[in-house]
Amino acid sequence: MEEPEKPQIYLITPPEFELDLFPTTLARVLDAREIACVRLSLSSQDEDRIARAADACRAVCHERDIAMVIDTHLRLVERLGLDGVHLNGSRNIRDARKELGEDAIVGAYCGASRHSGLNAAEAGADYVAFGPVAETGLGDGSMADLDLFAWWSEMIEVPIVAEGALTAERVADLVAVTDFFGIGEEIWSSDDPVAAMTALMAAAD
């Protein structure tokens, strides 16, 4: 993903979805506005289910010339014809790059850790994702605050993604200091994901 002039949307699929329904919903969202990349982020570890979901979503994305990456499952990237992998933390980035080649997208989620983000950048990540950007009540309660994004955007060239617990208010706070907004459950839990995305991104427009 190239660094854009203003933040673009990096779309994250729901952890579970109906294979016969979701591709149509995904297509509507992708047609509603410019999307930089889609990440398949299923909670399932069933490779058959992952493969079927990847096939359905990849067709929708690639018809629109939108890259699609998969969460964690490095060894499925080439088998499923995807564009790259999203890893948790800075480990395995070099291995992923070696296996997938220079043209693949290799990204890393680094929580609220500047140290982990720097390690990921030095290892060759194409982007680093920080989050959550607001309180979620989950995990240890750590948040990626505005200062982290501001520092990174000023000091580091590797593009950053803000994801996790995004609200319209947080989008307004971060619009000047992030390259991508990682949007997922914020819109999929709505009856109208397109309207939810429009409302969420209003401050970025």
Side-chain angles (χ1 to χ4, degrees), residues 126-204:
D126 291 302
Y127 68 84
V128 171
F130 291 117
V133 298
E135 292 185 11
T136 64
L138 302 175
D140 61 6
S142 60
M143 285 172 41
D145 60 22
L146 181 60
D147 288 344
L148 172 59
F149 287 93
W151 177 84
W152 188 279
S153 66
E154 182 177 348
M155 302 297 293
I156 310 297
E157 291 187 3
V158 174
I160 44 173
V161 180
E163 70 172 72
L166 281 168
T167 62
E169 182 180 13
R170 296 305 286 151
V171 167
D173 291 339
L174 292 163
V175 69
V177 291
T178 194
D179 301 299
F180 300 92
F181 286 108
I183 297 175
E185 283 299 292
E186 295 92 344
I187 68 168
W188 302 127
S189 57
S190 167
D191 290 337
D192 187 344
V194 171
M197 182 171 62
T198 299
L200 186 63
M201 293 298 292

Side-chain angles (χ1 to χ4, degrees), residues 2-149:
E2 295 181 358
E3 184 175 347
E5 292 183 4
K6 71 173 186 175
Q8 293 186 27
I9 295 173
Y10 172 43
L11 196 65
I12 304 163
T13 71
E16 291 290 340
F17 54 77
E18 294 292 333
L19 282 175
D20 56 341
L21 298 176
F22 181 70
T24 300
T25 303
L26 176 62
R28 282 203 307 121
V29 172
L30 297 184
D31 290 339
R33 62 182 299 148
E34 188 173 351
I35 305 291
C37 184
V38 173
R39 181 166 96 222
L40 183 65
S41 186
L42 295 179
S43 59
S44 174
Q45 296 301 308
D46 182 331
E47 288 192 9
D48 179 61
R49 175 162 178 77
I50 293 170
R52 286 184 289 117
D55 286 345
C57 294
R58 185 191 64 244
V60 174
C61 292
H62 286 183
E63 280 173 6
R64 292 158 176 80
D65 200 27
I66 296 171
M68 182 173 159
V69 302
I70 191 170
D71 208 332
T72 310
H73 298 281
L74 171 60
R75 62 192 180 84
L76 296 182
V77 173
E78 292 185 321
R79 191 180 113 194
L80 299 177
L82 304 181
D83 300 290
V85 66
H86 175 84
L87 301 171
N88 189 17
S90 57
R91 295 177 59 191
N92 302 323
I93 290 173
R94 286 190 173 89
D95 290 341
R97 179 65 67 202
K98 184 177 180 180
E99 181 170 334
L100 300 178
E102 290 302 314
D103 292 336
I105 298 168
V106 178
Y109 177 74
C110 295
S113 171
R114 180 185 299 188
H115 177 70
S116 179
L118 287 171
N119 285 344
E122 289 170 3
D126 291 302
Y127 68 84
V128 171
F130 291 117
V133 298
E135 292 185 11
T136 64
L138 302 175
D140 61 6
S142 60
M143 285 172 41
D145 60 22
L146 181 60
D147 288 344
L148 172 59
F149 287 93

